[in-house]
Amino acid sequence: MHRWLLLLCFTLWTGSLMAQVAPRSYLDRLPPLLDRELFFGEPEISGARLSPDGRYLTFLKPYRGVRNIWIKGIDEPFEAARPLTADERPVPGYFWSEDSRYVLYVQDKGGNEDFHLYAVDPTAEPDPATGVPPARNLTPYENTRAIVLATPEVTPRQILVGLNDRDPRWHDVYRLDLDTGERTLLLKNEAELAGFEFDLEGRLRLALRVTEDGGSEILRVDGEHLTPVYRCSVEETCTTVRFHRNGRQVYLITNRGEHDKTALVLFDPETGQETLVERDPEGQVDFGGAIFSDQTEELVATYYVGDRMRVYPKDATFAQDLEFLRTQLPEGELYFGSATEDERLVLVTVQRDVDPGAVYLYDRQQRKVQLLYRSRPELPVEHLAPMQAVHYRARDGAEIPAYLTLPKNVEPKGLAAVVLVHGGPWARDFWGYDPYAQFLANRGYAVLQPNFRGSEGYGKAFLNAGNKQWGTGVMQHDVTDGVHYLIESGIADPQGIAIMGGSYGGYATLAGLTFTPELYAAGVSIVGPSNLITLLKTIPPYWASARRIFDTRVGNPDDPADRLRLIAQSPFYHAHRIRAPLLVIQGANDPRVKKTESDQIVVAARENGVSVAYMVAPDEGHGFRGEMNRLAMIAAIERFLAQHLGGRFQATMSAELEAHLRSLMVDPATVTLPDTLALQQAQRGALPPAQGTWLRPVTLHYETTLSVQGQTFTLRSERRLELGRLDGQVVWQLVDRVRMPMGETTDTVWVDQATLRPLRRHAQGMGTLWLTYEDGHVSGRLQSPMGTMNIEKELQAPVVGDGGAFDLYLAGLPLREGYEATLRVFDPQQQEVRPMKLTVTGTQTVAIPAGTFTAYVVRLEALDGGSGSGLLYVNQEAPHHVLQAEMQLPAQMGGGTAKTRLLAME
């Protein structure tokens, strides 16, 4: 498509958003419409960390329009800060070396997740060109993903890293010198190890391996020898936390055996002795986490997350600190962050549902708390909406925890609603500030975030209940039942509900639109997989161990039974069921959910006549890290939801953002698929509708010349179309009679009067064929001199009739120049469904015995590579009866050609 036409299409799309759904009557009672940048623009300051020596504070802040690392003296104002990095892609995370000499950070290219590790010396002179000190790439290896394994205090100039440059599936363990970048191999990972645990001295002591059946195995590392010391099944959890200060025991999180919820234990790898430290005192949820002192290496607190977070001090000093902070700080969840090596200074974050958070510097010696910054100081928290924990019953009686955010200042009755499904899926939503929930509530939507079965944190029974339950099982049912909860409680308008999510949440969006199409008015899929077969076949190589877990939790595409279920659970294969408009958002470089996943569903939706919009960011991966990309995405989402749900949207945007948004929108008509996927889509997409009302009773006389292996045969045929009755209903009856040297054959087909879909077929001559077409099924019998064959075929999508019935369906299509469509015919001999693509390539004057006509030239292409390709010349005026045809004969007939022309029309 020309660029100007693409821009015109985008303008028409955004300019007519309110044409379909009227604004909601309650919108004028909402708080002020808040600028999208307040929610999704780059925070003014974020990600603060103290240098271990307490001299500096580092943080993330935009530099030259991109999130980068800044530094200031601990007592300096933020205005005195200077940038440390000048990356063109936002820095995702960083940390200090243990001796406060270097700031280390990771960076990839365009979202490909091949992270490299960089080191910056804060005391080095800045480069005049960039304004920042030079950053050294410590892992300059192509197609390599570096992971930081440990930063021992005893070796502050050396850290432990994993690198997969030797084998992309597995990370070898290296000691990396921060001054020189020299790496020393500690363990060549030829045992398919997925994780490593070091003691407090930096010695490799344990390794984790995923077994062939998906379970976990902890191994003791004795030089080159690996000894299994702890095992749990794929449906259990056992993972190391850190070594105890005594150097003998290791903290484990486990629910091995009879316990449903995970607990914290101490395990001795030498003796196998296991000692319980703690499990949830309220018995509600899994073990949440542990806080250790950097100074004493002792456990000082544990925490659990149910509806809210609960903290349990294990140390008197920590308990006093916690009590003091709660008297000094606003109500909310307290998170302890970076601390100095002597633990005199600690960063404490306070976050709550209506506040994205504030960071305080706590001086433990002076008992002084100082506000450092608010992450979004311009966001008016008084206009944000409270988030409440709710629980609803699933259809099988299970209790499903969720969070509900309701628009402020309006009665929660008959609201437009968005079901926001979390990714993972082995993750969960939490109480607290959620930018999507708050943004959508400000636009007038009730927002439900369900922790469906398969979510983590609620015990292994709850987690394992989601195994292989994607799309058509309880994982999706729990989301669906959450929608029914909103409807039955009166909160949501049944006609105004959308589903939205990223990653697995994007998949759940597509599954919701596919398997419960009556439930949703719109859907937004962000980097969501659409085809579980291709998803599992294209996971990154460094997920080799995770693949074994996927076999249990999702399915194995190489197992015949699993493959059938995965196809049944994949929205791509059933996209003809989608009715609601769809917005698809994708990062072009996503290594987890490949762009093909979104391409597939866009093509499927397009071919099925679904309204679909497509956004692709060329410089992003699994999620949008860049600010302009993020703002463009949210602008597209809010306009899309306003169009189909009637909520509010911010009509204004900068010229830069508007241009960027346009640049990311992809015309769905230009999206193509690889040949194998195109064939799969053709076999399952919606059929183009035909108009049976265009037809009139007619008799057509044809002559066909067959040229086979140097011989020529001429056949005459008569085609009679008339109204008839079948099972008491008026139908079209088409009878083809062909006179051949060995006798006459008759082929009769009955089709629906309005849709021209086949109902029944009976052919007789050298043999007899009976076929009955029902929803999702074809049955019948074929008798020939070779014997009798029963016909039973389950259909994944509707088909049209073969032979004359195909021509009849063609006669009722809304043909025009450039028209394209895919039809499927059932081959009774092979008992296969064959997709045929037809394209109107132009018009031509045809002079035949029946007269001179203006004809559409229709090219037929058998997408499975079999017979049936050729050219049809059909009457330009409806009904589009065949005037002339040039077809290739199948190999079983000796190959050759068949040329047909119309002799007369009565």
Side-chain angles (χ1 to χ4, degrees):
M1 178 178 286
H2 290 294
R3 180 172 175 79
W4 67 266
L5 186 54
L6 178 60
L7 295 178
L8 176 61
C9 291
F10 177 80
T11 303
L12 292 174
W13 175 60
T14 56
S16 62
L17 288 174
M18 301 307 297
Q20 294 187 23
V21 178
R24 300 276 169 174
S25 60
Y26 58 80
L27 297 182
D28 57 357
R29 300 194 295 276
L30 293 172
L33 186 73
L34 301 180
D35 194 297
R36 64 179 72 90
E37 291 195 31
L38 294 174
F39 298 95
F40 296 99
E42 203 65 63
E44 182 176 322
I45 299 173
S46 63
R49 299 188 70 92
L50 292 164
S51 63
D53 61 12
R55 297 176 57 199
Y56 299 105
L57 180 78
T58 45
F59 54 92
L60 298 172
K61 176 183 176 179
Y63 177 60
R64 297 182 175 178
V66 179
R67 181 172 72 239
N68 274 283
I69 306 170
W70 292 64
I71 189 171
K72 75 177 190 69
I74 190 66
D75 295 322
E76 288 183 319
F78 278 92
E79 291 76 14
R82 56 188 176 87
L84 282 183
T85 61
D87 282 28
E88 297 180 355
R89 180 164 172 77
V91 174
Y94 74 96
F95 61 98
W96 279 90
S97 63
E98 289 293 328
D99 61 357
S100 302
R101 174 71 187 275
Y102 298 109
V103 172
L104 303 150
Y105 71 99
V106 294
Q107 186 62 277
D108 67 350
K109 295 181 179 179
N112 66 2
E113 297 189 4
D114 283 342
F115 289 104
H116 288 207
L117 181 65
Y118 294 83
V120 177
D121 181 353
T123 65
E125 288 296 320
D127 184 332
T130 62
V132 300
R136 290 183 295 117
N137 187 350
L138 299 177
T139 56
Y141 312 110
E142 289 299 317
N143 303 314
T144 299
R145 176 186 174 93
I147 55 175
V148 178
L149 299 175
T151 57
E153 294 182 12
V154 297
T155 57
R157 295 292 180 90
Q158 296 176 329
I159 65 173
L160 300 157
V161 299
L163 297 172
N164 63 339
D165 56 328
R166 180 186 61 84
D167 184 336
R169 300 171 302 166
W170 310 106
H171 284 75
D172 297 327
V173 179
Y174 290 90
R175 191 178 300 278
L176 182 66
D177 190 290
L178 299 180
D179 292 328
T180 65
E182 182 182 356
R183 61 176 181 169
T184 303
L185 180 66
L186 299 183
L187 185 144
K188 188 176 182 181
N189 188 358
E190 296 179 320
E192 301 185 348
L193 304 174
F196 308 92
E197 190 66 54
F198 300 81
D199 64 17
L200 300 182
E201 302 298 318
R203 293 173 298 207
L204 178 59
R205 298 282 299 279
L206 299 173
L208 173 70
R209 179 163 57 201
V210 178
T211 58
E212 289 297 329
D213 60 0
S216 296
E217 184 177 54
I218 297 173
L219 306 103
R220 192 178 68 235
V221 180
D222 302 307
E224 297 182 356
H225 300 287
L226 301 173
T227 305
V229 294
Y230 200 97
R231 291 186 177 92
C232 58
S233 75
V234 67
E235 295 192 334
E236 297 172 325
T237 296
C238 55
T239 181
T240 58
V241 178
R242 59 174 280 164
F243 265 85
H244 191 277
R245 61 177 295 182
N246 62 27
R248 298 189 314 273
Q249 296 168 297
V250 64
Y251 287 98
L252 291 182
I253 297 174
T254 180
N255 60 6
R256 185 175 71 169
E258 62 183 7
H259 297 290
D260 179 59
K261 308 293 192 297
T262 58
L264 183 67
V265 305
L266 272 171
F267 175 72
D268 189 326
E270 295 290 340
T271 67
Q273 183 178 358
E274 181 179 328
T275 305
L276 175 67
V277 176
E278 187 181 81
R279 60 171 39 93
D280 184 7
E282 299 186 13
Q284 295 180 348
V285 293
D286 288 330
F287 180 79
I291 302 173
F292 292 87
S293 166
D294 281 339
Q295 193 171 32
T296 67
E297 308 296 350
E298 293 282 0
L299 176 67
V300 296
T302 58
Y303 60 88
Y304 300 82
V305 184
D307 290 344
R308 295 278 301 267
M309 185 169 69
R310 295 179 268 115
V311 180
Y312 296 88
K314 303 299 172 189
D315 171 83
T317 302
F318 184 88
Q320 293 170 5
D321 287 336
L322 183 62
E323 182 179 359
F324 173 75
L325 289 170
R326 283 174 171 163
T327 65
Q328 301 295 308
L329 300 177
E331 191 279 332
E333 311 286 43
L334 271 62
Y335 299 93
F336 293 84
S338 173
T340 55
E341 183 61 31
D342 61 8
E343 293 191 333
R344 181 176 69 87
L345 301 178
V346 182
L347 297 182
V348 181
T349 300
V350 182
Q351 188 193 83
R352 53 198 175 102
D353 52 351
V354 294
D355 189 341
V359 177
Y360 297 82
L361 179 64
Y362 175 39
D363 188 320
R364 299 179 68 202
Q365 289 183 358
Q366 299 183 24
R367 286 293 224 205
K368 179 181 176 182
V369 180
Q370 172 192 352
L371 174 66
L372 288 181
Y373 64 88
R374 298 185 184 279
S375 62
R376 296 187 181 274
E378 303 301 321
L379 184 63
V381 297
E382 68 273 14
H383 295 317
L384 300 187
M387 173 188 284
Q388 56 183 299
V390 297
H391 297 258
Y392 60 87
R393 291 288 175 186
R395 63 193 65 184
D396 60 1
E399 183 178 81
I400 307 301
Y403 295 98
L404 179 63
T405 305
L406 297 171
K408 199 171 183 180
N409 298 342
V410 299
E411 183 182 7
K413 297 292 182 183
L415 305 175
V418 177
V419 181
L420 190 59
V421 185
H422 69 69
W426 310 296
R428 58 159 290 181
D429 281 314
F430 299 87
W431 184 90
Y433 177 79
D434 185 298
Y436 286 94
Q438 289 298 333
F439 177 79
L440 292 170
N442 182 258
R443 269 47 183 169
Y445 307 112
V447 182
L448 181 72
Q449 296 172 270
N451 281 320
F452 45 87
R453 274 168 287 189
S455 300
E456 68 176 10
Y458 299 97
K460 62 186 175 187
F462 194 90
L463 175 65
N464 294 331
N467 289 351
K468 299 186 178 180
Q469 295 293 304
W470 291 41
T472 58
V474 296
M475 293 176 72
Q476 193 73 28
H477 294 339
D478 289 349
V479 175
T480 301
D481 293 342
V483 176
H484 290 308
Y485 157 77
L486 292 179
I487 295 171
E488 292 165 6
S489 62
I491 294 172
D493 171 10
Q495 304 305 314
I497 301 173
I499 183 169
M500 168 177 157
S503 194
Y504 175 83
Y507 164 83
T509 293
L510 300 177
L513 297 187
T514 301
F515 302 120
T516 53
E518 73 287 350
L519 210 55
Y520 299 108
V524 180
S525 171
I526 305 170
V527 295
S530 64
N531 183 340
L532 298 182
I533 301 294
T534 52
L535 172 74
L536 295 171
K537 288 289 189 181
T538 58
I539 60 175
Y542 50 83
W543 281 16
S545 61
R547 172 60 187 272
R548 297 168 183 173
I549 300 173
F550 291 170
D551 286 350
T552 294
R553 297 216 181 274
V554 187
N556 181 355
D558 295 325
D559 177 86
D562 268 4
R563 185 177 183 85
L564 288 176
R565 180 182 47 76
L566 291 168
I567 289 173
Q569 293 173 332
S570 296
F572 169 71
Y573 293 103
H574 312 281
H576 60 278
R577 301 180 61 180
I578 298 176
R579 301 201 299 258
L582 173 62
L583 171 60
V584 178
I585 298 169
Q586 179 69 41
N589 305 318
D590 191 339
R592 308 185 198 184
V593 178
K594 302 288 189 182
K595 179 175 174 288
T596 306
E597 293 297 318
S598 288
D599 289 346
Q600 290 178 68
I601 203 66
V602 167
V603 169
R606 177 193 74 199
E607 295 298 316
N608 296 337
V610 173
S611 173
V612 58
Y614 193 19
M615 170 182 281
V616 177
D619 55 348
E620 295 285 8
H622 198 62
F624 285 14
R625 203 190 302 170
E627 181 181 34
M628 288 299 290
N629 290 336
R630 197 166 57 246
L631 291 173
M633 175 184 72
I634 204 66
I637 290 172
E638 67 169 322
R639 286 179 160 179
F640 176 80
L641 293 177
Q643 177 184 8
H644 301 294
L645 299 188
R648 302 194 295 184
F649 75 97
Q650 181 181 346
T652 60
M653 67 178 68
S654 68
E656 180 186 12
L657 178 58
E658 186 170 4
H660 190 67
L661 175 55
R662 288 172 175 168
S663 73
L664 300 185
M665 299 308 298
V666 175
D667 180 2
T670 65
V671 181
T672 59
L673 296 178
D675 291 342
T676 55
L677 291 175
L679 178 58
Q680 292 174 7
Q681 165 58 19
Q683 291 171 333
R684 293 165 180 87
L687 292 174
Q691 300 293 328
T693 56
W694 290 353
L695 301 183
R696 297 291 183 270
V698 67
T699 300
L700 306 170
H701 298 273
Y702 290 101
E703 179 182 77
T704 300
T705 301
L706 304 176
S707 298
V708 181
Q709 296 180 353
Q711 300 186 54
T712 300
F713 308 90
T714 300
L715 307 175
R716 294 289 181 96
S717 62
E718 176 189 274
R719 174 171 295 172
R720 181 182 297 275
L721 176 64
E722 58 190 2
L723 291 173
R725 284 191 170 271
L726 182 68
D727 298 332
Q729 294 185 340
V730 177
V731 298
W732 284 114
Q733 177 178 294
L734 183 72
V735 181
D736 275 324
R737 289 188 173 86
V738 182
R739 291 181 291 276
M740 305 176 68
M742 65 287 293
E744 184 177 88
T745 65
T746 303
D747 191 351
T748 305
V749 62
W750 294 265
V751 302
D752 184 272
Q753 186 182 12
T755 67
L756 302 183
R757 299 280 179 85
L759 303 170
R760 196 168 297 170
R761 182 182 180 188
H762 178 218
Q764 57 184 4
M766 295 289 292
T768 303
L769 171 67
W770 280 101
L771 288 179
T772 299
Y773 297 83
E774 299 173 328
D775 288 341
H777 188 73
V778 178
S779 60
R781 185 176 69 256
L782 175 62
Q783 290 179 314
S784 71
M786 302 297 293
T788 300
M789 178 174 66
N790 290 324
I791 297 171
E792 294 287 342
K793 178 69 174 179
E794 297 295 328
L795 301 177
Q796 296 182 2
V799 298
V800 302
D802 197 1
F806 182 91
D807 292 353
L808 191 63
Y809 200 87
L810 177 64
L813 291 178
L815 302 181
R816 61 186 182 279
E817 288 196 52
Y819 178 87
E820 291 185 353
T822 300
L823 303 180
R824 287 178 300 276
V825 297
F826 174 67
D827 183 336
Q829 288 186 313
Q830 300 297 322
Q831 295 201 39
E832 293 292 340
V833 174
R834 303 193 56 223
M836 308 291 296
K837 181 178 180 180
L838 63 88
T839 305
V840 179
T841 62
T843 59
Q844 183 173 320
T845 300
V846 175
I848 52 177
T852 300
F853 301 85
T854 301
Y856 282 129
V857 182
V858 178
R859 185 177 71 243
L860 274 184
E861 178 185 2
L863 295 181
D864 59 4
S867 62
S869 298
L871 289 177
L872 299 177
Y873 300 82
V874 302
N875 196 1
Q876 186 179 41
E877 296 182 3
H880 309 295
H881 291 302
V882 174
L883 303 172
Q884 186 170 293
E886 300 170 3
M887 309 294 293
Q888 288 292 126
L889 294 175
Q892 59 264 36
M893 293 182 62
T897 61
K899 295 185 178 180
T900 299
R901 56 180 183 166
L902 181 65
L903 300 179
M905 182 184 305
E906 300 174 0

mmCIF file of all heavy atoms in Angstrom, residues 668-687:
data_model
loop_
_atom_site.group_PDB
_atom_site.id
_atom_site.type_symbol
_atom_site.label_atom_id
_atom_site.label_comp_id
_atom_site.label_asym_id
_atom_site.label_seq_id
_atom_site.Cartn_x
_atom_site.Cartn_y
_atom_site.Cartn_z
ATOM 1 N N PRO A 668 -3.387 -4.481 7.762
ATOM 2 C CA PRO A 668 -3.564 -5.940 7.801
ATOM 3 C C PRO A 668 -3.558 -6.597 6.426
ATOM 4 O O PRO A 668 -3.186 -7.768 6.309
ATOM 5 C CB PRO A 668 -4.922 -6.098 8.495
ATOM 6 C CG PRO A 668 -5.083 -4.862 9.310
ATOM 7 C CD PRO A 668 -4.451 -3.770 8.491
ATOM 8 N N ALA A 669 -3.951 -5.863 5.395
ATOM 9 C CA ALA A 669 -3.988 -6.445 4.052
ATOM 10 C C ALA A 669 -2.604 -6.804 3.543
ATOM 11 O O ALA A 669 -2.473 -7.609 2.615
ATOM 12 C CB ALA A 669 -4.670 -5.477 3.081
ATOM 13 N N THR A 670 -1.554 -6.225 4.132
ATOM 14 C CA THR A 670 -0.193 -6.483 3.657
ATOM 15 C C THR A 670 0.482 -7.628 4.401
ATOM 16 O O THR A 670 1.601 -8.006 4.055
ATOM 17 C CB THR A 670 0.673 -5.226 3.822
ATOM 18 O OG1 THR A 670 0.818 -4.924 5.228
ATOM 19 C CG2 THR A 670 0.049 -4.036 3.129
ATOM 20 N N VAL A 671 -0.169 -8.181 5.421
ATOM 21 C CA VAL A 671 0.445 -9.227 6.233
ATOM 22 C C VAL A 671 0.329 -10.565 5.520
ATOM 23 O O VAL A 671 -0.747 -10.937 5.050
ATOM 24 C CB VAL A 671 -0.212 -9.304 7.626
ATOM 25 C CG1 VAL A 671 0.456 -10.379 8.484
ATOM 26 C CG2 VAL A 671 -0.139 -7.944 8.320
ATOM 27 N N THR A 672 1.421 -11.286 5.424
ATOM 28 C CA THR A 672 1.441 -12.596 4.782
ATOM 29 C C THR A 672 1.999 -13.626 5.754
ATOM 30 O O THR A 672 2.633 -13.280 6.750
ATOM 31 C CB THR A 672 2.286 -12.585 3.501
ATOM 32 O OG1 THR A 672 3.628 -12.193 3.840
ATOM 33 C CG2 THR A 672 1.714 -11.617 2.479
ATOM 34 N N LEU A 673 1.789 -14.891 5.452
ATOM 35 C CA LEU A 673 2.259 -15.986 6.282
ATOM 36 C C LEU A 673 3.159 -16.913 5.476
ATOM 37 O O LEU A 673 3.053 -16.969 4.244
ATOM 38 C CB LEU A 673 1.068 -16.797 6.808
ATOM 39 C CG LEU A 673 0.093 -16.093 7.736
ATOM 40 C CD1 LEU A 673 -1.033 -17.044 8.110
ATOM 41 C CD2 LEU A 673 0.797 -15.603 8.991
ATOM 42 N N PRO A 674 4.033 -17.651 6.141
ATOM 43 C CA PRO A 674 4.757 -18.718 5.439
ATOM 44 C C PRO A 674 3.778 -19.702 4.813
ATOM 45 O O PRO A 674 2.630 -19.828 5.265
ATOM 46 C CB PRO A 674 5.563 -19.385 6.569
ATOM 47 C CG PRO A 674 5.660 -18.353 7.640
ATOM 48 C CD PRO A 674 4.409 -17.545 7.552
ATOM 49 N N ASP A 675 4.214 -20.404 3.771
ATOM 50 C CA ASP A 675 3.311 -21.266 3.020
ATOM 51 C C ASP A 675 2.580 -22.269 3.900
ATOM 52 O O ASP A 675 1.378 -22.489 3.738
ATOM 53 C CB ASP A 675 4.092 -22.011 1.928
ATOM 54 C CG ASP A 675 4.572 -21.067 0.835
ATOM 55 O OD1 ASP A 675 4.033 -19.956 0.747
ATOM 56 O OD2 ASP A 675 5.480 -21.458 0.091
ATOM 57 N N THR A 676 3.275 -22.872 4.854
ATOM 58 C CA THR A 676 2.621 -23.890 5.690
ATOM 59 C C THR A 676 1.528 -23.280 6.541
ATOM 60 O O THR A 676 0.456 -23.861 6.716
ATOM 61 C CB THR A 676 3.653 -24.576 6.589
ATOM 62 O OG1 THR A 676 4.356 -23.579 7.355
ATOM 63 C CG2 THR A 676 4.638 -25.368 5.762
ATOM 64 N N LEU A 677 1.784 -22.081 7.076
ATOM 65 C CA LEU A 677 0.773 -21.432 7.899
ATOM 66 C C LEU A 677 -0.372 -20.913 7.045
ATOM 67 O O LEU A 677 -1.528 -20.915 7.462
ATOM 68 C CB LEU A 677 1.401 -20.294 8.693
ATOM 69 C CG LEU A 677 2.379 -20.731 9.795
ATOM 70 C CD1 LEU A 677 3.033 -19.521 10.431
ATOM 71 C CD2 LEU A 677 1.650 -21.557 10.840
ATOM 72 N N ALA A 678 -0.043 -20.428 5.836
ATOM 73 C CA ALA A 678 -1.097 -19.969 4.949
ATOM 74 C C ALA A 678 -2.050 -21.107 4.609
ATOM 75 O O ALA A 678 -3.271 -20.929 4.538
ATOM 76 C CB ALA A 678 -0.490 -19.385 3.670
ATOM 77 N N LEU A 679 -1.495 -22.317 4.398
ATOM 78 C CA LEU A 679 -2.333 -23.473 4.103
ATOM 79 C C LEU A 679 -3.210 -23.817 5.306
ATOM 80 O O LEU A 679 -4.403 -24.100 5.159
ATOM 81 C CB LEU A 679 -1.453 -24.665 3.737
ATOM 82 C CG LEU A 679 -2.195 -25.975 3.434
ATOM 83 C CD1 LEU A 679 -3.184 -25.793 2.300
ATOM 84 C CD2 LEU A 679 -1.191 -27.081 3.112
ATOM 85 N N GLN A 680 -2.629 -23.762 6.528
ATOM 86 C CA GLN A 680 -3.431 -24.042 7.718
ATOM 87 C C GLN A 680 -4.566 -23.049 7.857
ATOM 88 O O GLN A 680 -5.693 -23.410 8.195
ATOM 89 C CB GLN A 680 -2.536 -24.001 8.954
ATOM 90 C CG GLN A 680 -1.524 -25.127 9.015
ATOM 91 C CD GLN A 680 -0.579 -24.969 10.181
ATOM 92 O OE1 GLN A 680 -0.749 -24.094 11.027
ATOM 93 N NE2 GLN A 680 0.442 -25.808 10.221
ATOM 94 N N GLN A 681 -4.270 -21.782 7.612
ATOM 95 C CA GLN A 681 -5.318 -20.772 7.705
ATOM 96 C C GLN A 681 -6.396 -21.007 6.657
ATOM 97 O O GLN A 681 -7.591 -20.890 6.933
ATOM 98 C CB GLN A 681 -4.709 -19.372 7.545
ATOM 99 C CG GLN A 681 -5.711 -18.253 7.272
ATOM 100 C CD GLN A 681 -6.757 -18.119 8.350
ATOM 101 O OE1 GLN A 681 -6.575 -18.591 9.462
ATOM 102 N NE2 GLN A 681 -7.864 -17.497 8.018
ATOM 103 N N ALA A 682 -5.974 -21.352 5.434
ATOM 104 C CA ALA A 682 -6.952 -21.594 4.376
ATOM 105 C C ALA A 682 -7.877 -22.744 4.715
ATOM 106 O O ALA A 682 -9.035 -22.776 4.315
ATOM 107 C CB ALA A 682 -6.217 -21.870 3.056
ATOM 108 N N GLN A 683 -7.367 -23.713 5.463
ATOM 109 C CA GLN A 683 -8.170 -24.873 5.816
ATOM 110 C C GLN A 683 -9.153 -24.599 6.938
ATOM 111 O O GLN A 683 -10.016 -25.423 7.218
ATOM 112 C CB GLN A 683 -7.247 -26.033 6.211
ATOM 113 C CG GLN A 683 -6.465 -26.592 5.028
ATOM 114 C CD GLN A 683 -5.402 -27.587 5.454
ATOM 115 O OE1 GLN A 683 -4.897 -27.529 6.569
ATOM 116 N NE2 GLN A 683 -5.050 -28.494 4.563
ATOM 117 N N ARG A 684 -9.038 -23.410 7.579
ATOM 118 C CA ARG A 684 -9.882 -23.160 8.731
ATOM 119 C C ARG A 684 -10.552 -21.801 8.739
ATOM 120 O O ARG A 684 -11.367 -21.518 9.599
ATOM 121 C CB ARG A 684 -9.053 -23.304 10.016
ATOM 122 C CG ARG A 684 -8.597 -24.743 10.243
ATOM 123 C CD ARG A 684 -7.511 -24.838 11.283
ATOM 124 N NE ARG A 684 -7.113 -26.236 11.473
ATOM 125 C CZ ARG A 684 -6.211 -26.845 10.760
ATOM 126 N NH1 ARG A 684 -5.600 -26.197 9.786
ATOM 127 N NH2 ARG A 684 -5.909 -28.109 10.975
ATOM 128 N N GLY A 685 -10.196 -20.921 7.817
ATOM 129 C CA GLY A 685 -10.770 -19.581 7.817
ATOM 130 C C GLY A 685 -12.234 -19.576 7.400
ATOM 131 O O GLY A 685 -12.781 -20.555 6.894
ATOM 132 N N ALA A 686 -12.881 -18.448 7.636
ATOM 133 C CA ALA A 686 -14.288 -18.310 7.262
ATOM 134 C C ALA A 686 -14.437 -18.317 5.744
ATOM 135 O O ALA A 686 -13.563 -17.850 5.008
ATOM 136 C CB ALA A 686 -14.861 -17.020 7.838
ATOM 137 N N LEU A 687 -15.549 -18.844 5.268
ATOM 138 C CA LEU A 687 -15.852 -18.806 3.841
ATOM 139 C C LEU A 687 -16.440 -17.458 3.472
ATOM 140 O O LEU A 687 -17.194 -16.868 4.255
ATOM 141 C CB LEU A 687 -16.855 -19.903 3.483
ATOM 142 C CG LEU A 687 -16.370 -21.351 3.575
ATOM 143 C CD1 LEU A 687 -17.528 -22.298 3.338
ATOM 144 C CD2 LEU A 687 -15.245 -21.611 2.597
#
